[in-house]
DNA sequence: CGATAATGGT
């Protein structure tokens, strides 16, 4: 019996024991919980049995169906979702705006924007008015497809129909414009939204600051931060984290630390992500020893994770301090931090790069012994570096070993390197 | 009364 079934197994018992009968809302909460966990079998089972389990007092309603439909859409079962929509109509539960919004998002996510747009028309025909959620979804997926003009048209339509814009609309437009290269337009739109008092949190600004950093426009990014203060918008950890990471990637530790100071002077507490960014920045800047001191301090504060150490390992390797890099897995274990596959992948890649493929293979078997599963990256690293005059049997043996340990092979590597050898092998034997 | 839909940073 799996955990989720176990958690809900009390439902099978007579409710007399507690003296409280579950009603539709109780069931809907459980159905939605199951859907959110992706356990659609359980969700469906609950819905099919709720009438009997409740002694005939509870029947699925539109909320039940909307939850189910959303669950199926999110787990790739758009066909089942469509069947459920038909089913609810058959038992006289009218699909409402939420039902359509959920289906429209589902079809868009599945890459069927055409069908999503058809559903928009259909809901209007049935007398339902698409709300901002529906418009936001459609615009988001048009932008994802790169259809900036289409999204603009939908936005105009939304304004014409006087559907209120919300903070979601703002962030979707900001991100959509940015990701399609319209940074100036995004900035213009953000200013306009500020004028209309549509912006209540740092969300949209964070998106724009992120894109400005990614396009190396740090002055503009910093200016935007300054403007947030002017407009009374409170920057959050994400705002600072984005700027700090941007500066670190740029190799400008000084600016990163300046932003850090600004953040600490405000009431915002730095999080682990921010420290990891700084550690990465210090390494990139050649200041690995400073990075190491920072990690030591953070470790004493209990403020480190796997990524902290992985970043430092990368830093040591990039500056040639290999012995220090290889000592880190033990150190992190002492600090109670579990090494990840990425920890060993970094070291394995280094060994391969310097022709020590045998040692790399040994490290891979060691990580298995230490309870860390190799992944498709480990697989790719080993096979793309494997000795050219290594025998086919050896390659296949390594492949079999890794697959047996639960590794899902990297598709391209398998097709190009391992699979040809397998055929060769079967041809000769 | 209570339960359901869309957005961000290593």
């Amino acid at each position: 019996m799996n955990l989720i079934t176990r958690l809900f197994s009390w439902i099978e018992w007579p409710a007399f024991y507690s003296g409280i009968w579950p009603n539709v809302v109780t069931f809907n909460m459980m159905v939605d919980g199951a859907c959110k966990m992706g356990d659609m079998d359980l969700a469906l089972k609950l819905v099919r049995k709720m009438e009997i389990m409740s002694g005939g007092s509870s029947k699925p309603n539109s909320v039940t169906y909307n939850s189910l439909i959303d669950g199926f859409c999110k787990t790739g079962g758009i066909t089942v979702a469509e069947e459920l929509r038909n089913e609810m109509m058959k038992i006289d539960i009218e699909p409402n705006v939420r039902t359509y919004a959920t289906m429209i998002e589902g079809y868009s996510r599945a890459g069927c924007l055409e069908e999503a747009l058809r559903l928009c028309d259909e809901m209007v025909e049935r007398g339902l008015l698409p709300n901002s959620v529906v418009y936001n979804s459609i615009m988001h997926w048009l932008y994802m497809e790169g259809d900036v003009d289409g999204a603009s048209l939908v936005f105009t339509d939304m304004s014409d129909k006087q559907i209120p814009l919300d903070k979601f609309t703002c962030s979707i437009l900001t991100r959509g414009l940015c990701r399609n290269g319209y940074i100036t337009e995004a900035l213009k739109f953000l200013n306009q939204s500020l004028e209309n008092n549509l912006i209540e949190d740092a969300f949209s600004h964070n998106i724009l600051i992120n894109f400005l950093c990614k396009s190396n426009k740090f002055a503009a990014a910093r200016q935007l931060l300054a403007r947030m203060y002017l407009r009374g918008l409170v920057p959050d950890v994400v705002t600072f984290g984005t700027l700090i990471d941007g500066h670190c990637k740029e190799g400008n530790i000084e600016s990163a630390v300046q932003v850090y100071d600004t953040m600490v002077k405000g009431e915002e507490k730095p999080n682990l992500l921010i420290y990891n960014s700084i550690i990465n920045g210090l390494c990139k800047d050649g200041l690995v020893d400073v990075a190491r001191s920072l990690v030591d301090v953070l470790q004493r504060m209990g403020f480190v994770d796997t990524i902290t150490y992985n970043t430092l390992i990368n830093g040591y390797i990039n500056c040639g301090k290999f012995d220090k890099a290889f000592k880190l897995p033990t150190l992190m274990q002492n600090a109670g931090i579990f090494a990840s596959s990425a920890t060993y992948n970094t070291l394995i890649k280094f060994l391969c790069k310097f022709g020590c493929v045998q040692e790399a293979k040994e490290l891979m078997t060691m990580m298995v012994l230490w309870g860390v599963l190799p992944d498709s990256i480990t697989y790719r690293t080993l096979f793309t570096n494997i000795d050219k005059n290594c025998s086919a049997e050896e390659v296949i043996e390594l492949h079999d070993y890794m697959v047996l340990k639960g590794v899902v092979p990297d598709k391209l590597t398998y097709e190009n390197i391992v699979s040809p050898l397998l055929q060769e092998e079967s041809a000769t034997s």
Side-chain angles (χ1 to χ4, degrees):
Chain A
M1 189 157 61
N2 73 31
L3 177 76
I4 295 160
T5 314
R6 223 171 83 206
L7 288 175
F8 291 123
S9 61
W10 63 275
I11 288 296
E12 308 278 3
W13 297 347
F16 307 116
Y17 292 127
S18 60
I20 299 164
W21 284 96
N23 64 7
V24 202
V25 177
T26 324
F27 278 105
N28 285 347
M29 283 160 75
M30 291 190 294
V31 170
D32 192 56
C35 289
K36 292 262 152 67
M37 291 187 272
D39 192 338
M40 295 317 295
D41 285 341
L42 176 67
L44 214 53
K45 210 161 124 191
L46 277 166
V47 174
R48 297 304 178 218
K49 286 187 176 172
M50 75 188 264
E51 199 164 352
I52 294 171
M53 281 195 278
S54 67
S57 66
S58 299
K59 271 194 278 193
N61 61 13
S62 59
V63 176
T64 323
Y65 275 95
N66 287 349
S67 287
L68 268 185
I69 288 172
D70 186 49
F72 277 108
C73 284
K74 293 216 167 92
T75 51
I78 191 78
T79 328
V80 188
E82 190 63 64
E83 282 164 15
L84 284 164
R85 186 166 71 99
N86 290 324
E87 181 185 305
M88 68 191 283
M89 288 191 285
K90 226 177 278 171
I91 52 176
D92 279 331
I93 303 170
E94 278 301 301
N96 56 23
V97 178
R98 274 184 196 248
T99 320
Y100 276 97
T102 307
M103 293 287 310
I104 287 165
E105 173 69 19
Y107 273 117
S108 305
R109 191 194 299 269
C112 312
L113 247 171
E114 288 293 313
E115 189 57 25
L117 289 167
R118 200 196 59 75
L119 277 182
C120 288
D121 292 335
E122 189 190 303
M123 70 185 288
V124 173
E125 280 163 24
R126 296 175 65 100
L128 294 169
L129 190 68
N131 61 10
S132 33
V133 178
V134 175
Y135 276 98
N136 290 347
S137 265
I138 293 287
M139 287 189 294
H140 173 246
W141 288 101
L142 283 170
Y143 278 125
M144 293 292 275
E145 280 205 344
D147 190 355
V148 180
D149 293 336
S152 299
L153 280 173
V154 174
F155 183 65
T156 312
D157 185 50
M158 180 178 186
S159 312
D160 288 347
K161 297 222 165 66
Q162 299 189 344
I163 311 294
L165 313 189
D166 56 20
K167 56 178 181 174
F168 288 92
T169 321
C170 294
S171 51
I172 287 169
L173 258 82
T174 309
R175 192 161 129 81
L177 288 168
C178 283
R179 74 151 57 224
N180 288 290
Y182 293 78
I183 297 192
T184 320
E185 284 76 3
L187 194 59
K188 229 183 273 176
F189 173 74
L190 207 56
N191 282 335
Q192 210 180 314
S193 309
L194 272 168
E195 299 296 328
N196 298 328
N197 287 322
L198 287 168
I199 303 216
E200 45 199 43
D201 59 19
F203 220 109
S204 296
H205 281 77
N206 292 348
I207 297 169
L208 193 47
I209 288 174
N210 181 32
F211 273 89
L212 286 170
C213 286
K214 293 266 148 67
S215 12
N216 288 321
K217 293 177 176 157
F218 294 99
R222 293 285 288 272
Q223 226 178 323
L224 206 53
L225 175 66
R227 273 243 308 266
M228 288 180 76
Y229 286 111
L230 280 176
R231 303 286 190 139
L233 271 174
V234 187
D236 59 16
V237 241
V238 179
T239 321
F240 293 115
T242 308
L243 269 166
I244 290 170
D245 192 58
H247 281 309
C248 285
K249 291 242 163 68
E250 175 204 17
N252 189 344
I253 284 290
E254 177 52 34
S255 294
V257 176
Q258 265 178 31
V259 177
Y260 179 89
D261 287 337
T262 317
M263 173 181 65
V264 179
K265 268 181 215 143
E267 64 263 50
E268 212 61 71
K269 288 248 188 308
N271 61 17
L272 200 43
L273 225 78
I274 287 174
Y275 285 118
N276 288 344
S277 283
I278 294 177
I279 290 162
N280 189 34
L282 288 167
C283 291
K284 285 241 153 62
D285 218 25
L287 302 168
V288 191
D289 294 328
V290 183
R292 175 57 187 268
S293 315
L294 178 54
V295 172
D296 288 340
V297 175
L298 290 169
Q299 190 250 303
R300 283 194 287 274
M301 292 162 64
F303 212 49
V304 284
D305 64 2
T306 316
I307 294 168
T308 315
Y309 287 99
N310 291 353
T311 310
L312 193 56
I313 290 176
N314 243 313
Y316 273 139
I317 285 190
N318 287 333
C319 71
K321 298 188 172 169
F322 309 126
D323 51 331
K324 292 199 168 172
F326 278 88
K327 276 182 190 146
L328 274 178
T330 323
L331 210 91
M332 58 196 289
Q333 202 176 15
N334 293 341
I337 305 295
F338 288 107
S340 66
S341 53
T343 315
Y344 295 109
N345 288 347
T346 308
L347 298 171
I348 287 172
K349 189 177 161 192
F350 158 77
L351 288 170
C352 288
K353 197 176 137 195
F354 283 86
C356 308
V357 183
Q358 192 51 42
E359 285 79 357
K361 282 203 282 193
E362 279 163 24
L363 184 55
M364 188 271 292
T365 43
M366 290 311 286
M367 71 189 269
V368 173
L369 287 179
W370 295 327
V372 183
L373 267 187
D375 56 16
S376 56
I377 310 270
T378 326
Y379 185 94
R380 188 173 65 207
T381 311
L382 281 175
F383 283 102
T384 48
N385 287 290
I386 206 152
D387 199 345
K388 294 291 172 293
N389 37 32
C390 190
S391 73
E393 296 92 67
E394 270 179 89
V395 176
I396 292 161
E397 193 189 337
L398 183 62
H399 165 86
D400 288 346
Y401 175 81
M402 293 187 77
V403 171
L404 198 68
K405 293 296 171 192
V407 180
V408 179
D410 174 61
K411 198 165 168 279
L412 272 176
T413 312
Y414 177 76
E415 281 167 7
N416 293 330
I417 298 169
V418 184
S419 173
L421 289 172
L422 278 171
Q423 276 153 21
E424 194 180 295
E425 182 87 330
S426 63
T428 50
S429 62

